[in-house]
Amino acid sequence: MSSACPICGKPAQDATRPFCSKRCADVDLQRWLSDRYVVPGAQDDEENPPSTDFDN
C-alpha cells in the first residue's frame, strides 16, 4: 500500500518517501525553512522565568 505525498497527493516513491519526488521534498523543506511550518512549544514567560535554584 502506497501512501500519498503530503505536498501534492500523488503516490509516494520509495526513494523520496514520504514524498513523490525530490521537488516535493524540496517544497516541504522550504516551508520549514521559511517558518510556514512550526512545532508548537511552551511560551516563554519573561516576567516569571523558571527557577534554577535546586537547593529547595
Side-chain angles (χ1 to χ4, degrees):
M1 184 168 129
S2 178
S3 61
C5 174
I7 301 299
C8 70
K10 293 180 183 176
Q13 299 297 314
D14 288 336
T16 56
R17 190 163 302 279
F19 306 103
C20 68
S21 65
K22 177 148 174 33
R23 180 197 167 280
C24 282
D26 289 344
V27 167
D28 183 72
L29 177 61
Q30 179 57 36
R31 288 178 181 175
W32 280 105
L33 295 174
S34 65
D35 291 333
R36 282 189 58 194
Y37 295 152
V38 294
V39 176
Q43 293 183 350
D44 292 335
D45 187 354
E46 292 181 18
E47 289 183 25
N48 298 310
S51 174
T52 58
D53 181 18
F54 297 106
D55 294 329
N56 292 336

